[in-house]
Amino acid sequence: MMRKKRRPSAGKGEGATSTTKAKKSRSTAPKSKEPAPEETNERVFGVFLREAGVTLKQAGTSNEIAVDQIVFQKRLQKQLQKSPRYPGIVQEFAAGLESHIEDPERFRNCLLPCVPRLSDGNSDNVSSFQESLLRMLLGIEMLQTVIINTLLEKLPEFMFDGAGDGGLNIPHTIINQFKWLDRVMDSKELAAKLMELVSVAPVEVQRDIISSLPEILEDSQHNDIAKELNSLLQENTQITVPILDALSSLNLSSSILTEVRGAVMVTLAAVQLEDLPVVVKFILHSVSASDAYEVVRDLRKKLELEQCVLPLVLQASQSLIKSKGSAGSASAPSAGSSQDSVTLILDGIKSAVRFQKTISEAWLKAIESVDEEEDHKVLDLLVLFILHSTNANQSRRGAERVLKVKVRSGFIQEVLLQRTFRDYAQVMRGYFPSILALAQSLLRSPDPCVVPFGGHMYRHSFTAFDSYCQQEVVGSLVTHVCSGVGGEVDMALELLCGLVTEKHSEMALYAVFVKGILDYMDNLTPQQIRRLFHLLSSLAFGQQQQQGSHIQDDMHIVIRKQLSSTVPKYKRIGIIGAVRIVGSMGAARLKGKESKNVSLPQETLRHVTALLELVKSSIESSPEAAALYYDELSNLMLSSTLDPQVQENIGKCVIDDFQVDFVADLGPEMSGSFPLTPCVMYDLEGQGNIAINLLPLLANDIKTKGEQHSQTTKAHKRVSPLGLCPFFRLLRVCEHRLHQGDLDEIDGLLGCPLILTDMDVMEKMESRSKAEREFLCTLLFYTINWFREVINAFCEQKETEMKMKVMTRLQNITYLQTLLERALAVTPGFVPPVANFDGESTDGVTLSSAAPVSKAKKDGAGKKRKAPAKISSESGSQLDEATEAEKTQQEQPEKEVRHSVSLVPYRPYFRELDMEVLNVLQCGLLSCSLLDSELHTKVREEVLLGPAELVFLLEDMHRKLEFSLTAAPAKRTPFFKGRADKSLGFSHLQQRSPKDIASYCVQLLPALCSHLENCHNHFQTMMSENNGIVDGPATDVQEHNLMSSGYQLLLQVLNTTLSWSGFSQPGQRSLLKKALGVLAVRLKEESAELTLAQLVKWVMETQLQVPGEPPRHDAKSQRGLVSLPASVHCVGERRRPCCLQRADGFPRETIPRPRLGHSQRREGTREQIQ
């Protein structure tokens, strides 16, 4: 089919409308009977080709060639040169070509490769592949310029046609004829004509021409054409990709390349999303070592990946529109295409950093130079993952180092990581091995500031990626748990528990992996074992237990095996595991949006009851195991919500059993033989008829232990005083749960007396036998622990009478501790009874070396050296040796000094106080009226929190804060060295998160500030009354020492609270503001209206309104006062506490050095409160 020749309109430009003189003459020549010149020229064209070896065919058939194309070119050139009409014959030949290709089908044949002609039998001389006729003619130098002009004139005719019927794109094919010619006769002219075509051609043709320029032009034209392309790039962003592709392939000078790169960087924000990968690739591949950092820094600032990905809401709405068949916006990128573009961008960055070391170093330096949290982008994390994924060790180490530095400084936080996983999960999937390796490194880091970020990487990886990645995440976390490193194990178990809560159905698929941790329980602490069994029991026996039921049998086998073990350690594991399974199986079921409780299935209730009976039967002969069971049950009921049937089953016999085992009716006399004379002590009720049967129970227990050496079986359950406190704790929790916090049924136990012995025996302890001394020490330990547990139970009661009794019990404890110190001093080698049953109490403490008996020594001057003062902090904060020597010099030789030891090494043998006990710090003067028989006021009783009780509570609070809020670096246990469990005595505290503890401390800040001001006023009053001397002749040394210790502890508690690293997290800024507001409101009434930054500044300037300083001999109090404001400043600036400066505003020179008098320890001379 013949096509009419198209003539471009005048609007297309002069180049598109210009014609040759031959065409003009041809179009205007009058018709005649003689053959037209075109026919003659075409005949000449055909004859020359046929003689050279090419036969022209009609439409639909390719031109044939009988010889090799090189032979054809030589023959044709030779024929033209030998022609008599040379050089005019060249123009005739060109005119014949023009006439021949007037027909579009003939033109198409000339653009397509020729086919060999095999009919003459000379096929061996013809290659299987031949070029097109026009391509071969371009290879002849005398014809090249004419052929180029002819093709460029033909090109505008087909610019807007697109692909033809056979899929042949004529403009694209014409441009391909010019590529890779052996020689271009006039390269400059060809470049000019091509760029002229670019100015008028449609976008598709422009892209073809520009992309082909490196293959068409000679090197000498590269710089000139680069300048023109640079100008074109700034005018038209639609052809950015082909221009940059061409520029990347051109051999350019450094100055031209820098100029082009600068222009590209300017237009980066306007580049379309699908063109960004090419732009980024060009920029990174065009840098040199000298300017790599500047280029990468600018690229990082201007490359906004957040704008490349649609938000999740828009993605969902776009998918909905597409699903409904709506046309939508054709130009708007879909979620998949945007993710693909981001992937290509990152691939370009990856290829650049892999092959150019300077670029990888520049990326690290650019990310490291960012000094504001808001300036960090998603791109920073993605590039760090890319750098870590390369094979270069230096890049891997550098990426890991930079990430740790940024996380430690708080510049890269979990919010940025969450956004990265949320918007780029598909992109990040390719870098999962690097993400997993970085998470492992962070979780194993000894720096506690970076460990949580590694946990966030694990959690988001499990949530965002596929099942393979989820399996790898679980396997890696299991490896962390089995490592035996404390912080690493805790974080891994916390992550696994969190994943079970959030993604229970997915985690159930990997329950077998988690079950493997059971083989490594020897390396786990009791709290870690609790978490492990909580994790496994949730998977196996939770409300969605059908998915994890395949490990139920294994769990039952492990529990039975551990409970039947005779080794105490494994029996403890069995008890902890069984109680956790009870918690999962017996958890309250909630149904529907109204959160109504659903009754527990009878089959499940039967299994819970059977498991509880199994544990009871295994602990009958072991008081330690029974005590642990009671403690674990009480902790379970406090931390979880059990089904009412399970709670009733646990508590139905508790109160009756407690009365039978531990409560005795008071009679006229007590029968039996006891090491010490029984005496009813510490009765707060006045007319009590019952008492805690402690001394007879202890004597009977010691007797029973002696009989066990000759008996192998027991006929009845053994009742030991070891179970007194744990059993009472379980009783209290059951009453609290069953009666919605009402303890009226058991409130008589708060003031209930105890059957002890008269404490006058302390006066002649040295003369008593070793058995009697150890019996008294044991009795004192049990008594103190009973009072501690009673305070735990009733510290939250609101009635004034109950508060007074709690305060009195605190006074009882502080007095009994002075007696215990003296008793231990004359009882060397004594091992106290166990009070915390979830660990090896005696393994972590060596009492013989940690707390030696303090004997009075005489120095050269005949003076006695007393024992060190009472230690009041976890690290054994005794007074400095220099201070002790100074005080000893002031002692009188004739003054009798009683022997005593410090109780610090014995702390694991005391029951743990709950955080709620610290509420007592908020109590002031308590008073109530006592009535006689006629209900008339008999006397008014008052109770005040004294210095000894204040120090006691502050010591406990400081130890709790040091354990929970102070992040210690993770250390591996030496292979040949036993590990002391520092968590012993903090079992209840470990059930709380650091955030809860910090919040509780912030609530106590007003009371702590009041106590701090009272201590300060006390010393100011003393100095004013004694002319600047802290301890004058009339000073009560005991009270002075207590107030000094209280002052020191108050500052340490405030400093530890405000130094908590959690305040730097975005979610805790409100809590920090509340804490600083408490401090500022005592100084400025309108401080509630201040912002966080203003509060920090105000507190720093006013310094807590303490114009003086603590007693000069108390160096630690001075350091605490100096540390406090700097801690506030560091937390307010989101930095970790650093070296602190003195900022109390009081001139150091104006504080006179106190002359210390007779510094003595408390001697227990206070009146016994009964």
Side-chain angles (χ1 to χ4, degrees):
M1 178 177 179
M2 300 299 290
R3 187 191 319 182
K4 186 177 180 180
K5 180 178 179 181
R6 299 184 182 180
R7 297 293 181 182
S9 61
K12 297 299 181 180
E14 297 177 0
T17 58
S18 61
T19 56
T20 62
K21 294 181 179 180
K23 281 191 175 183
K24 290 182 180 179
S25 62
R26 183 173 66 247
S27 61
T28 58
K31 294 184 179 180
S32 64
K33 295 181 181 180
E34 296 179 359
E38 291 86 350
E39 296 178 0
T40 303
N41 293 337
E42 187 174 355
R43 189 179 303 113
V44 171
F45 171 72
V47 171
F48 273 89
L49 289 181
R50 186 166 53 254
E51 291 178 355
V54 172
T55 303
L56 299 175
K57 295 295 183 177
Q58 297 301 320
T61 306
S62 300
N63 298 326
E64 294 182 354
I65 183 171
V67 296
D68 194 74
Q69 61 186 20
I70 301 298
V71 177
F72 164 76
Q73 291 173 338
K74 289 182 177 180
R75 285 181 180 180
L76 182 58
Q77 184 176 2
K78 189 175 183 180
Q79 290 175 8
L80 293 173
Q81 290 175 344
K82 290 184 177 181
S83 172
R85 300 195 299 273
Y86 182 82
I89 192 63
V90 175
Q91 296 298 329
E92 296 179 13
F93 184 86
L97 172 63
E98 291 181 4
S99 300
H100 180 76
I101 62 178
E102 287 290 337
D103 182 4
E105 293 300 327
R106 291 180 182 178
F107 184 43
R108 181 178 180 275
N109 284 345
C110 293
L111 292 174
L112 295 176
C114 298
V115 297
R117 188 173 62 198
L118 306 177
S119 59
D120 57 357
N122 296 327
S123 60
D124 295 340
N125 297 328
V126 183
S127 174
S128 59
F129 174 77
Q130 299 292 334
E131 297 283 359
S132 68
L133 175 60
L134 292 173
R135 172 77 176 177
M136 290 188 291
L137 294 179
L138 285 171
I140 301 175
E141 295 181 359
M142 65 176 61
L143 297 175
Q144 186 182 89
T145 303
V146 179
I147 302 299
I148 288 176
N149 293 334
T150 301
L151 290 177
L152 293 179
E153 290 174 359
K154 292 287 292 184
L155 182 59
E157 299 180 15
F158 303 94
M159 277 185 179
F160 302 96
D161 290 351
D165 296 337
L168 180 65
N169 189 322
I170 298 298
H172 179 74
T173 309
I174 293 175
I175 296 171
N176 284 341
Q177 307 300 313
F178 303 133
K179 293 182 179 180
W180 306 115
L181 294 176
D182 294 336
R183 181 185 177 190
V184 179
M185 301 302 296
D186 193 350
S187 177
K188 185 175 182 179
E189 180 68 19
L190 177 59
K193 290 184 177 180
L194 288 174
M195 294 306 296
E196 184 180 356
L197 278 176
V198 168
S199 64
V200 297
V203 176
E204 293 300 327
V205 178
Q206 287 179 337
R207 290 175 178 172
D208 285 335
I209 295 175
I210 295 173
S211 300
S212 304
L213 287 177
E215 290 87 5
I216 296 175
L217 303 180
E218 295 181 349
D219 290 353
S220 60
Q221 298 296 317
H222 284 186
N223 285 332
D224 296 334
I225 203 68
K227 295 179 181 179
E228 296 188 35
L229 291 177
N230 186 22
S231 301
L232 188 61
L233 177 64
Q234 300 178 37
E235 298 172 0
N236 188 0
T237 58
Q238 291 182 325
I239 52 177
T240 300
V241 173
I243 291 177
L244 295 182
D245 280 338
L247 290 174
S248 300
S249 303
L250 296 178
N251 185 16
L252 306 178
S253 63
S254 59
S255 59
I256 296 295
L257 193 60
T258 303
E259 180 182 351
V260 172
R261 187 177 60 238
V264 172
M265 196 76 77
V266 171
T267 61
L268 188 64
V271 176
Q272 296 182 1
L273 174 60
E274 58 270 16
D275 297 340
L276 267 180
V278 178
V279 176
V280 173
K281 181 179 179 181
F282 171 78
I283 293 174
L284 291 179
H285 284 270
S286 63
V287 300
S288 60
S290 59
D291 59 1
Y293 169 67
E294 289 78 8
V295 173
V296 169
R297 182 190 59 192
D298 294 341
L299 177 62
R300 181 198 162 275
K301 288 182 179 179
K302 297 183 178 181
L303 188 59
E304 298 290 345
L305 290 185
E306 288 83 351
Q307 300 177 2
C308 300
V309 179
L310 295 176
L312 295 179
V313 177
L314 295 181
Q315 291 182 19
S317 62
Q318 191 180 75
S319 301
L320 182 61
I321 292 175
K322 289 184 177 181
S323 64
K324 292 181 178 180
S326 175
S329 176
S331 61
S334 64
S337 64
S338 61
Q339 291 278 355
D340 294 339
S341 298
V342 174
T343 302
L344 293 176
I345 293 173
L346 298 182
D347 287 342
I349 297 176
K350 184 176 181 180
S351 64
V353 301
R354 176 175 294 179
F355 299 109
Q356 299 183 53
K357 180 181 177 181
T358 55
I359 295 182
S360 64
E361 293 175 350
W363 274 110
L364 288 174
K365 189 176 179 181
I367 297 174
E368 198 169 6
S369 64
V370 181
D371 54 1
E372 291 293 338
E373 176 191 351
E374 295 78 9
D375 294 338
H376 274 291
K377 305 178 178 181
V378 169
L379 179 64
D380 297 337
L381 277 177
L382 294 175
V383 170
L384 290 177
F385 296 152
I386 290 173
L387 292 173
H388 192 274
S389 65
T390 59
N391 295 328
N393 290 331
Q394 185 174 2
S395 296
R396 295 173 66 91
R397 292 194 299 268
E400 184 177 328
R401 175 186 60 81
V402 171
L403 181 61
K404 288 182 178 180
V405 169
K406 290 296 180 179
V407 172
R408 185 184 302 113
S409 59
F411 294 150
I412 292 182
Q413 297 193 5
E414 195 263 340
V415 176
L416 181 64
L417 182 70
Q418 181 181 4
R419 190 165 70 245
T420 307
F421 273 94
R422 182 193 63 200
D423 297 337
Y424 304 92
Q426 177 183 338
V427 177
M428 297 177 67
R429 174 60 181 84
Y431 303 100
F432 173 71
S434 293
I435 296 174
L436 190 65
L438 284 171
Q440 291 173 348
S441 176
L442 292 176
L443 209 66
R444 290 173 178 154
S445 173
D447 188 350
C449 295
V450 303
V451 173
F453 194 84
H456 295 318
M457 294 179 68
Y458 272 123
R459 181 167 55 85
H460 289 301
S461 297
F462 186 91
T463 304
F465 295 149
D466 52 25
S467 59
Y468 168 77
C469 298
Q470 290 177 344
Q471 177 177 325
E472 292 296 314
V473 168
V474 174
S476 182
L477 290 176
V478 169
T479 303
H480 286 301
V481 175
C482 300
S483 66
V485 182
E488 186 178 341
V489 175
D490 290 336
M491 179 57 69
L493 285 173
E494 182 179 347
L495 287 171
L496 288 172
C497 292
L499 290 176
V500 169
T501 303
E502 298 174 7
K503 301 287 183 179
H504 188 280
S505 57
E506 289 87 345
M507 278 295 296
L509 301 175
Y510 314 107
V512 175
F513 293 92
V514 183
K515 183 177 67 69
I517 306 176
L518 293 174
D519 298 331
Y520 297 88
M521 286 191 296
D522 287 347
N523 298 326
L524 303 183
T525 65
Q527 178 62 17
Q528 292 166 352
I529 293 174
R530 289 188 190 97
R531 285 190 174 181
L532 173 60
F533 277 106
H534 171 72
L535 168 66
L536 290 172
S537 59
S538 298
L539 289 173
F541 304 99
Q543 297 187 21
Q544 304 177 15
Q545 57 179 299
Q546 65 276 5
Q547 296 176 340
S549 58
H550 54 284
I551 65 171
Q552 289 184 0
D553 293 340
D554 295 332
M555 294 286 292
H556 283 298
I557 291 173
V558 169
I559 294 301
R560 288 180 178 273
K561 178 181 178 181
Q562 303 287 5
L563 288 175
S564 61
S565 175
T566 57
V567 180
K569 178 179 180 179
Y570 298 124
K571 185 178 285 291
R572 285 196 299 269
I573 294 176
I575 294 171
I576 294 174
V579 172
R580 291 296 156 177
I581 291 178
V582 168
S584 296
M585 295 178 66
R589 264 62 170 175
L590 301 178
K591 184 178 181 181
K593 297 182 180 180
E594 299 179 359
S595 300
K596 293 183 178 180
N597 288 337
V598 180
S599 179
L600 196 67
Q602 291 300 314
E603 181 69 16
T604 304
L605 183 60
R606 186 178 63 83
H607 286 302
V608 171
T609 305
L611 186 57
L612 291 174
E613 293 298 329
L614 175 64
V615 180
K616 289 180 181 179
S617 63
S618 66
I619 63 175
E620 288 184 349
S621 59
S622 173
E624 292 84 357
L628 174 62
Y629 173 63
Y630 301 145
D631 273 341
E632 290 299 316
L633 271 183
S634 59
N635 288 336
L636 176 66
M637 296 184 69
L638 283 173
S639 61
S640 59
T641 303
L642 298 179
D643 186 86
Q645 300 176 78
V646 178
Q647 293 186 22
E648 184 179 357
N649 191 7
I650 294 175
K652 62 183 179 181
C653 301
V654 172
I655 189 167
D656 295 334
D657 292 345
F658 183 83
Q659 291 179 351
V660 172
D661 293 341
F662 302 107
V663 179
D665 294 328
L666 293 179
E669 58 182 12
M670 300 179 189
S671 58
S673 175
F674 306 111
L676 298 174
T677 304
C679 180
V680 178
M681 307 282 289
Y682 301 106
D683 183 10
L684 302 183
E685 299 296 337
Q687 297 178 354
N689 297 323
I690 59 173
I692 302 299
N693 193 27
L694 189 54
L695 186 145
L697 197 61
L698 177 59
N700 185 49
D701 184 63
I702 294 175
K703 180 180 179 182
T704 304
K705 286 181 180 179
E707 295 175 352
Q708 280 185 345
H709 294 289
S710 58
Q711 297 179 358
T712 57
T713 60
K714 286 180 62 64
H716 55 83
K717 183 180 72 171
R718 175 184 168 189
V719 178
S720 170
L722 282 175
L724 172 62
C725 293
F727 206 158
F728 172 70
R729 182 176 180 82
L730 177 61
L731 169 63
R732 184 258 297 186
V733 172
C734 289
E735 288 293 315
H736 188 275
R737 285 291 188 181
L738 295 176
H739 299 92
Q740 290 74 44
D742 187 3
L743 300 180
D744 290 345
E745 296 290 333
I746 60 171
D747 60 357
L749 294 175
L750 175 58
C752 178
L754 291 85
I755 301 178
L756 303 174
T757 189
D758 193 341
M759 294 305 165
D760 291 340
V761 297
M762 293 295 303
E763 300 301 327
K764 298 182 180 180
M765 279 288 291
E766 295 84 351
S767 62
R768 294 189 175 273
S769 65
K770 178 182 178 181
E772 291 177 339
R773 295 197 304 270
E774 291 186 348
F775 184 88
L776 180 60
C777 290
T778 304
L779 190 64
L780 288 173
F781 269 103
Y782 279 130
T783 306
I784 293 174
N785 284 330
W786 166 254
F787 287 152
R788 292 171 73 101
E789 199 59 60
V790 165
I791 292 174
N792 282 339
F794 297 97
C795 62
E796 294 185 282
Q797 298 299 305
K798 304 301 182 183
E799 296 84 356
T800 303
E801 182 182 359
M802 302 297 288
K803 290 182 178 181
M804 293 181 62
K805 291 181 179 179
V806 169
M807 196 84 74
T808 305
R809 288 309 185 201
L810 271 176
Q811 296 173 352
N812 298 152
I813 291 176
T814 55
Y815 171 68
L816 288 173
Q817 286 186 164
T818 61
L819 300 183
L820 181 59
E821 291 173 354
R822 292 163 51 193
L824 290 173
V826 296
T827 314
F830 170 72
V831 178
V834 180
N836 301 285
F837 304 92
D838 55 356
E840 297 288 349
S841 298
T842 57
D843 288 354
V845 180
T846 306
L847 298 176
S848 58
S849 59
V853 178
S854 301
K855 298 180 180 179
K857 297 179 181 179
K858 291 188 177 181
D859 55 14
K863 300 177 181 178
K864 294 183 180 179
R865 182 181 298 273
K866 59 176 281 299
K870 187 178 188 321
I871 298 178
S872 58
S873 70
E874 176 62 25
S875 59
S877 56
Q878 300 174 347
L879 296 178
D880 297 333
E881 258 185 54
T883 306
E884 283 296 320
E886 184 180 354
K887 292 196 296 182
T888 306
Q889 292 175 4
Q890 305 293 332
E891 291 179 355
Q892 298 294 336
E894 65 273 8
K895 180 70 176 180
E896 179 183 357
V897 180
R898 297 190 178 183
H899 304 225
S900 62
V901 298
S902 171
L903 294 181
V904 172
Y906 293 89
R907 282 174 178 161
Y909 297 95
F910 292 112
R911 294 287 291 179
E912 180 182 359
L913 292 177
D914 294 337
M915 283 292 293
E916 289 74 15
V917 173
L918 300 177
N919 283 330
V920 180
L921 289 170
Q922 298 175 327
C923 296
L925 178 64
L926 300 175
S927 63
C928 67
S929 300
L930 303 181
L931 305 180
D932 55 17
S933 59
E934 298 180 358
L935 300 181
H936 294 154
T937 301
K938 181 179 179 181
V939 67
R940 187 171 185 82
E941 184 178 0
E942 295 181 348
V943 179
L944 179 65
L945 185 67
E949 292 73 43
L950 177 64
V951 170
F952 173 79
L953 292 175
L954 291 176
E955 283 179 347
D956 186 76
M957 184 177 184
H958 185 238
R959 292 178 62 239
K960 284 179 166 58
L961 298 185
E962 286 285 331
F963 180 82
S964 300
L965 301 187
T966 303
K971 297 181 180 179
R972 297 185 179 272
T973 306
F975 185 74
F976 291 106
K977 187 176 181 179
R979 176 176 60 182
D981 187 5
K982 294 184 179 180
S983 65
L984 192 63
F986 295 105
S987 298
H988 306 159
L989 191 67
Q990 287 179 303
Q991 310 294 326
R992 295 172 176 262
S993 66
K995 177 183 176 181
D996 294 337
I997 296 172
S999 301
Y1000 195 83
C1001 292
V1002 171
Q1003 296 177 8
L1004 294 177
L1005 279 182
L1008 295 176
C1009 291
S1010 298
H1011 289 299
L1012 183 64
E1013 293 172 359
N1014 292 338
C1015 290
H1016 172 72
N1017 294 335
H1018 169 80
F1019 288 113
Q1020 293 295 318
T1021 303
M1022 289 179 56
M1023 294 175 64
S1024 62
E1025 293 177 353
N1026 295 284
N1027 297 323
I1029 301 176
V1030 178
D1031 53 348
T1035 300
D1036 186 344
V1037 179
Q1038 177 182 342
E1039 183 182 20
H1040 174 80
N1041 290 336
L1042 287 173
M1043 295 299 291
S1044 297
S1045 298
Y1047 203 129
Q1048 169 191 336
L1049 287 167
L1050 283 165
L1051 293 173
Q1052 289 176 341
V1053 165
L1054 291 173
N1055 187 33
T1056 305
T1057 302
L1058 296 176
S1059 300
W1060 179 45
S1061 60
F1063 282 135
S1064 61
Q1065 301 174 5
Q1068 313 302 335
R1069 306 300 287 176
S1070 59
L1071 184 61
L1072 174 61
K1073 183 178 180 181
K1074 181 180 179 182
L1076 297 180
V1078 171
L1079 300 180
V1081 77
R1082 307 182 71 86
L1083 309 169
K1084 187 177 182 180
E1085 294 182 357
E1086 63 272 15
S1087 61
E1089 305 297 331
L1090 299 178
T1091 64
L1092 178 60
Q1094 292 170 336
L1095 285 172
V1096 173
K1097 181 180 179 181
W1098 178 256
V1099 173
M1100 287 294 299
E1101 291 176 351
T1102 52
Q1103 307 302 329
L1104 293 176
Q1105 200 181 8
V1106 182
E1109 60 180 30
R1112 189 57 176 257
H1113 73 278
D1114 197 342
K1116 293 197 174 183
S1117 295
Q1118 294 179 352
R1119 290 195 296 269
L1121 183 60
V1122 170
S1123 301
L1124 187 56
S1127 298
V1128 173
H1129 175 68
C1130 291
V1131 174
E1133 295 293 329
R1134 300 192 184 190
R1135 299 199 307 267
R1136 291 187 298 167
C1138 54
C1139 295
L1140 307 173
Q1141 303 175 356
R1142 176 182 175 85
D1144 55 5
F1146 195 88
R1148 190 179 296 271
E1149 294 78 6
T1150 60
I1151 296 292
R1153 183 172 183 83
R1155 298 193 300 271
L1156 300 181
H1158 309 293
S1159 299
Q1160 300 176 357
R1161 285 188 52 80
R1162 287 186 292 134
E1163 299 178 336
T1165 57
R1166 300 171 54 210
E1167 289 296 325
Q1168 180 174 320
I1169 303 175
Q1170 299 186 10

